[in-house]
Amino acid sequence: MKKQSILHLGIIMLILIGSSCKPETPEVLKEKDNGIQTPELSLQYDEKIDSLIALMTIEEKIGMLHGNSMFANKAVERLGIPELTMADGPLGVREEISRDSWAPAGWDNDFATYYPAGGGLAATWNTELSLRFGQSVGEESRARGKDVLLSPAINIIRTPLGGRTYEYFTEDPFLNARMSVPFIVGVQQNDVAVCVKHYAVNNQETNRDSVDVLVDERTLREIYLPAFKAAAVEANAYSFMGAYNKFRGEYLCENPYMLQDILRDEWGYKGIVISDWAAVHDTKKSLEAGTDIEMGTPKPFNEFYFADPLAEAVAKGEIEEAELDKHVKRILRVMFNLKTVDGVGQKKGSINTEEHFQDAYAIAAESVVLLKNESDLLPLKLDGVKRIAVIGNNATKKNALGGYGAGVKTKREITPLEGLKGRLPEGVEVQYAEGYRERYAENEKAVFGDITLNGPVPINELEPELVEQALDAVRNSDLTIVFAGSNRDYETEASDRASLDLPYGQEELIEKVLEIDPNAIVVFIAGGPFDIQDISEKSNALVWSWFNGSEGGNALADVLLGTVNPSGKLPWTMPKKLEDSPAHATNSFPGDDSVTYEEGILVGYRWFDTKNVDPLYEFGYGLSYADFQYGNMITDKSEYNEEDTVVVNVEVSNRSEVDGKEAVQLYVSAENSQVERAQKELKAFNKVAVPAGKTVTVPLSFKVKDLAYYDTAQKTWVVEKGEYTIRVGASSRDIKGEATIVIR
C-alpha cells in the first residue's frame, strides 16, 4: 500500500484520537537518562594475565604490540591468545581486506549495514538513537568477529572545509559528549571495544601527518577534550586512537602530557591506546608515553617501530622488558573483558539484517533538516500531480563506498530517486534528468588554493546537453525536486576542501531550474556546510540531508511526502561566507608547519554569537511541519550552590494537526564574568515527541559544576559566583524564554 501525505494521515489521526489544536493540560515528560555507562575494565583477570605474561617470550610480547596484518596484531597461539582484530566502522563494519594490503579480500559474506554518517547521527539530537546505533553496529562487528571497532570519530568541527566533517559529530563539546557516550555504550555491550578517535586536536586533514597544533590550555580543556573525557570517564571506552598530528611540538602518539598526564593520571583511563595507521615516529618515546599498539601500512610489519626496532632496543637495554609487560597486560585485560581469549559467553551478534536496516532508517529519518518552507510547499501536495521532475546527479549517487576513508560493502543503499519511486502513489510519473555530472580534472596537481592535499579537483562547467534535458523535464512536469550537494568522493579523508562552493556547476543549474519553477524543492545531500546563500534567497523550499545510510533514500522520501515530520537540527553553523567562520576570520587555517587556534574558546556558534556575526543557518536550527509554541519556563530554584543541579521545565505546545518531535535546547550565559566567556553555551537538550494539539512539559537539567571554566593559573575548574542567564529555545538564535539564576 502506498503511503500518503502527512495531511491525510493527520486528518485520520485527528478523527481517531479526537485531538484539537487547542493546547491541553501539559503532559509532564521524563528527562532522558544521560548517565548511561558501561562497566570499567575488570581487574578480575589480572592474576591469570600475569601468569600468561610470565610464559611469554620477548618476541611474543612484541608481536602483540604491533600490526601483524592490516587490522590485527599477532596471536600467541601456543598460549591460546588470538589476534586482536579491528575494523573501520564510522559508517558500518568495513568490508574484509587483504591481510597485507588495502585490496579487498574478495569475500562474499562480508556485506554489512551502511549506517548514517556522524553528521547525520548528530543532527538527530537524539541520544536514544545514538545508543541504538551503537548497539546495532556493535552486533554487526561481533558477527564479523571484530574485537575493536575503529569508531566513533568525535573531533570538534573547527572549519567548515574539513574533509571529515561528514564523519565527525558537531562543533560543540557538550553535544559531542552527549552523543558519543551512548554510542560507545551500545557498541561495548556486544563484547566489542570502541576505539575513540582521533585523540586529540585532530581538526584538519591538511598536513595532518605533521602539523603542530598550538592551542592554549583553557581552550584545550573546554572545547577539544570534553567529549574524549566523557568517553573515558562516563562510557569507559576500552580503546583510544592516537592522532597523526603533533600537539605542542610532540606527536600525539608520543605525547606523555596527553597520553599519560591527562588520559591515564587525570581521567583514570585503563584501556589501550592504538596508534592511527603509521602515526608512530619513535620507538622509545611512543611506548613510554603510553601508546600500546602500533598499527600502519607503509612498510613490512616487522619494520614497524614496535617490531624489530623495539626488539633491538630491548636487547640493548634501552627499554626494559617490564615496559613491554605493562603494555601487553593492558591489551590482555581488554581481550579478557571482551571474552576474546577463551570465547566463553561471548555474544554472537548479527549482521545485514532487516532489523539493522530499520535502525539505519530510524536515524536517517530523524536527521533530515528542513531549512526553509515558504508557503508550506512541503510536505509535497500531490493532488493533480501527474509528473514529477527529479533533477541532479545526487538523486542516484551512492555513498556507502567512495573517497579515501572507510566505507561499507552493503547489499542495500536506497538512493533518493529509488526512495521516491517506491513511496509515490500509483499514477505519479517520475522523469529523471542528471542535470550535472560529477567530474574531476585529470593529471592536475592538487595544492591548497585548488584543493588541499590530494583531494579531487572538480570540473565546475555544466554540459549544455544535460542542462537542456533537465530544463525540459522541469517544463513538462507538475512539480520539481532538485537533488544537489556533495558526495563521499569529494568530501573525503586526507584532504580538506578549498572552498565552500558547490562543485560541478550545481549552483548555476539550480538557478536555471528556479527561473522556470520558483517552487522547485531543493534538497542538499552533504556532510558539511556549503555556500548556499544565493540559493537560499531564491528558493522557497530547502531540505538538508546527509550521507544517510542504507535506508537514506526511503527516509528522505518519507520526509518529502510527509509520512515523517522532519525533526533534524543542524549540528554545526552554516556561515554566509567562509570568512565568517572563526578559524578563517582569524586567518588561522590551515597553518603551515604549525597551526595556532587563534579563536580560542570561540568555536562555532560561540564565535558567531559573541562577535555578532549573522550565520546563514545557525547551530541547532531546523524547522518542522508542526507548529511548536514555547510557553512557561520555570527553574526549580532561583539560587544554587556549587553541588546543586539546576532543573528547568518548559512547556512546548504543538498547535498543528500533525505529530512532531522537537529538540529543546538550553543555553547558559555567564553575566559579568571575570574571564572571557562565550555569549552562550549549550548545557542541556531534550528531544521530545509532541502530539498534535497537545502541550508537554519538557524537563532540562545541568549540574552547577557544568558552568565552570578552566583556570589555567590554578590548573583547576572554577565556578564563578554570581548571575547566570538561562535561555531555552529551538536553536542557538531562536530563544523562546529566559530566566536568571544566582550561584552562591
Side-chain angles (χ1 to χ4, degrees):
M1 178 180 178
K2 299 293 183 180
K3 296 185 178 179
Q4 305 300 314
S5 77
I6 196 168
L7 294 179
H8 297 155
L9 291 176
I11 293 171
I12 295 171
M13 179 275 299
L14 284 172
I15 294 172
L16 291 175
I17 68 174
S19 64
S20 71
C21 293
K22 181 180 178 181
E24 300 179 358
T25 303
E27 176 187 357
V28 180
L29 303 179
K30 291 184 179 180
E31 187 171 14
K32 295 184 179 72
D33 179 15
N34 286 328
I36 191 167
Q37 191 173 31
T38 44
E40 290 187 22
L41 281 167
S42 173
L43 307 182
Q44 64 177 307
Y45 308 102
D46 279 13
E47 185 175 342
K48 186 173 184 178
I49 290 170
D50 290 337
S51 299
L52 282 172
I53 292 174
L55 298 173
M56 294 172 66
T57 66
I58 290 177
E59 180 183 9
E60 288 170 335
K61 294 173 183 177
I62 289 174
M64 292 189 65
L65 303 186
H66 67 85
N68 188 52
S69 69
M70 300 296 285
F71 281 101
N73 66 356
K74 194 170 186 177
V76 185
E77 294 180 2
R78 72 180 185 89
L79 297 178
I81 301 172
E83 297 177 329
L84 183 72
T85 59
M86 310 172 197
D88 274 322
L91 304 176
V93 186
R94 184 174 185 159
E95 70 177 317
E96 205 68 28
I97 65 169
S98 303
R99 288 188 62 84
D100 58 357
S101 78
W102 290 108
W107 293 10
D108 60 5
N109 62 347
D110 58 344
F111 291 94
T113 304
Y114 164 35
Y115 295 91
L121 175 62
T124 69
W125 288 64
N126 189 331
T127 56
E128 293 174 353
L129 283 178
S130 184
L131 176 65
R132 183 173 174 181
F133 189 168
Q135 291 170 331
S136 189
V137 75
E139 290 173 357
E140 299 223 339
S141 303
R142 188 68 274 151
R144 281 274 300 280
K146 304 304 179 184
D147 303 314
V148 180
L149 184 70
L150 305 176
S151 183
I154 62 173
N155 294 96
I156 289 288
I157 297 170
R158 179 176 179 253
T159 168
L161 298 180
R164 301 183 84 162
T165 296
Y166 78 90
E167 182 181 349
Y168 294 159
F169 285 176
T170 86
E171 66 186 23
D172 180 75
F174 178 78
L175 183 57
N176 257 19
R178 299 280 57 84
M179 296 302 291
S180 299
V181 168
F183 177 89
I184 294 166
V185 171
V187 171
Q188 295 192 163
Q189 287 174 345
N190 291 280
D191 298 328
V192 175
V194 297
C195 187
V196 182
K197 59 188 189 182
H198 308 85
Y199 183 71
V201 290
N202 184 182
N203 309 105
Q204 64 186 60
E205 295 300 284
T206 308
N207 299 329
R208 67 176 185 177
D209 295 325
S210 59
V211 68
D212 186 10
V213 176
L214 305 176
V215 55
D216 68 89
E217 191 69 13
R218 184 180 167 207
T219 299
L220 175 71
R221 299 288 185 148
E222 294 187 20
I223 302 297
Y224 295 99
L225 291 188
F228 288 104
K229 182 178 181 180
V233 175
E234 294 181 47
N236 291 315
Y238 287 177
S239 73
F240 269 46
M241 181 182 289
Y244 281 120
N245 52 292
K246 296 177 182 176
F247 174 66
R248 296 177 185 166
E250 292 184 293
Y251 285 105
L252 263 304
C253 287
E254 56 190 57
N255 196 306
Y257 181 63
M258 297 295 287
L259 296 183
Q260 187 62 47
D261 296 354
I262 293 179
L263 182 60
R264 294 195 183 276
D265 294 345
E266 284 190 32
W267 299 348
Y269 181 68
K270 295 181 176 63
I272 57 175
V273 173
I274 301 170
S275 79
D276 207 337
W277 270 230
V280 170
H281 298 268
D282 185 281
T283 302
K284 184 177 175 65
K285 285 183 179 179
S286 293
L287 197 69
E288 293 182 350
T291 298
D292 298 297
I293 301 177
E294 177 193 7
M295 299 299 293
T297 58
K299 53 189 176 183
F301 300 118
N302 67 295
E303 295 181 11
F304 283 13
Y305 289 96
F306 283 12
D308 289 351
L310 177 55
E312 184 178 346
V314 173
K316 291 181 178 179
E318 296 171 354
I319 295 176
E320 298 292 332
E321 186 174 356
E323 182 70 28
L324 305 183
D325 295 348
K326 178 173 67 176
H327 298 279
V328 170
K329 186 169 185 176
R330 289 175 183 167
I331 297 167
L332 286 173
R333 188 179 286 154
V334 168
M335 295 179 72
F336 270 94
N337 275 267
L338 296 176
K339 308 179 185 68
T340 296
V341 177
D342 56 20
V344 176
Q346 189 177 58
K347 295 188 176 180
K348 301 300 181 184
S350 57
I351 193 167
N352 204 39
T353 65
E354 190 60 37
E355 182 181 14
H356 290 168
F357 287 129
Q358 291 311 305
D359 292 336
Y361 173 87
I363 298 163
E366 286 200 25
S367 74
V368 178
V369 182
L370 180 61
L371 295 178
K372 190 175 182 180
N373 194 21
E374 298 294 328
S375 303
D376 292 329
L377 291 176
L378 289 169
L380 298 175
K381 314 299 187 293
L382 298 181
D383 289 345
V385 172
K386 298 297 183 182
R387 177 181 293 175
I388 297 177
V390 173
I391 310 299
N393 179 277
N394 258 9
T396 60
K397 178 70 176 180
K398 294 190 175 185
N399 290 295
L401 296 171
Y404 186 79
V408 178
K409 178 180 171 183
T410 185
K411 290 183 177 180
R412 182 188 301 181
E413 181 178 355
I414 307 299
T415 67
L417 181 60
E418 291 169 340
L420 272 175
K421 286 184 174 181
R423 296 313 210 230
L424 284 168
E426 294 180 6
V428 178
E429 178 188 350
V430 174
Q431 184 172 353
Y432 170 67
E434 187 176 17
Y436 69 90
R437 185 163 290 160
E438 178 190 356
R439 297 185 297 159
Y440 303 99
E442 296 181 3
N443 301 320
E444 183 173 340
K445 183 175 176 58
V447 295
F448 189 76
D450 293 329
I451 199 79
T452 60
L453 288 178
N454 297 311
V457 180
I459 295 175
N460 296 318
E461 296 178 1
L462 293 171
E463 298 179 50
E465 182 179 353
L466 294 183
V467 173
E468 193 54 38
Q469 290 172 358
L471 299 184
D472 279 345
V474 175
R475 295 186 189 101
N476 295 316
S477 298
D478 304 306
L479 191 152
T480 303
I481 308 173
V482 181
F483 290 95
S486 183
N487 55 65
R488 286 196 56 244
D489 292 308
Y490 186 56
E491 293 183 68
T492 175
E493 179 183 349
S495 70
D496 297 313
R497 288 181 282 143
S499 74
L500 292 183
D501 296 341
L502 285 169
Y504 323 124
Q506 293 178 80
E507 184 166 351
E508 180 184 351
L509 173 66
I510 295 169
E511 290 177 349
K512 289 179 181 294
V513 169
L514 290 173
E515 288 175 2
I516 299 173
D517 183 0
N519 288 330
I521 312 299
V522 181
V523 180
F524 291 103
I525 298 171
F530 280 86
D531 181 357
I532 61 170
Q533 183 173 6
D534 288 346
I535 295 173
S536 179
E537 292 174 353
K538 295 175 182 177
S539 66
N540 290 311
L542 285 179
V543 175
W544 191 276
S545 189
W546 313 85
F547 307 142
N548 237 351
S550 286
E551 285 284 330
N554 283 335
L556 185 53
D558 285 344
V559 168
L560 295 176
L561 293 170
T563 308
V564 169
N565 192 345
S567 63
K569 301 275 190 175
L570 289 178
W572 34 249
T573 302
M574 178 99 66
K576 290 183 176 178
K577 56 183 185 296
L578 180 62
E579 296 75 22
D580 289 343
S581 293
H584 302 270
T586 57
N587 295 311
S588 55
F589 172 87
D592 193 359
D593 293 335
S594 65
V595 57
T596 302
Y597 289 8
E598 298 286 356
E599 71 278 8
I601 62 170
L602 300 182
V603 176
Y605 70 91
R606 288 166 164 80
W607 173 274
F608 285 84
D609 290 351
T610 305
K611 300 294 184 180
N612 293 315
V613 178
D614 288 332
L616 182 60
Y617 295 107
E618 70 268 21
F619 174 79
Y621 175 88
L623 303 176
S624 171
Y625 298 150
D627 177 18
F628 295 119
Q629 299 291 322
Y630 285 61
N632 293 331
M633 170 186 162
I634 302 172
T635 60
D636 61 329
K637 295 191 295 185
S638 60
E639 295 186 0
Y640 302 84
N641 62 46
E642 195 167 331
E643 301 303 317
D644 286 343
T645 295
V646 179
V647 179
V648 180
N649 287 293
V650 59
E651 290 182 2
V652 178
S653 301
N654 182 350
R655 298 181 180 176
S656 72
E657 298 181 355
V658 292
D659 296 343
K661 292 182 179 181
E662 175 74 337
V664 182
Q665 302 159 45
L666 183 152
Y667 298 84
V668 177
S669 303
E671 307 298 339
N672 305 310
S673 176
Q674 299 302 304
V675 297
E676 180 185 36
R677 302 292 288 258
Q679 197 272 337
K680 65 172 78 78
E681 298 176 1
L682 182 71
K683 294 299 180 185
F685 64 91
N686 193 351
K687 189 167 190 179
V688 296
V690 189
K694 299 290 186 178
T695 296
V696 299
T697 298
V698 182
L700 300 150
S701 66
F702 61 91
K703 297 177 181 178
V704 171
K705 288 183 177 179
D706 293 339
L707 301 175
Y709 73 90
Y710 189 80
D711 187 312
T712 55
Q714 300 183 59
K715 297 183 178 180
T716 190
W717 292 89
V718 175
V719 177
E720 288 185 290
K721 306 306 184 283
E723 287 190 355
Y724 291 81
T725 300
I726 296 174
R727 295 180 169 90
V728 171
S731 75
S732 59
R733 294 269 173 135
D734 188 7
I735 301 302
K736 306 294 189 178
E738 297 185 2
T740 299
I741 61 172
V742 176
I743 307 301
R744 296 297 187 189

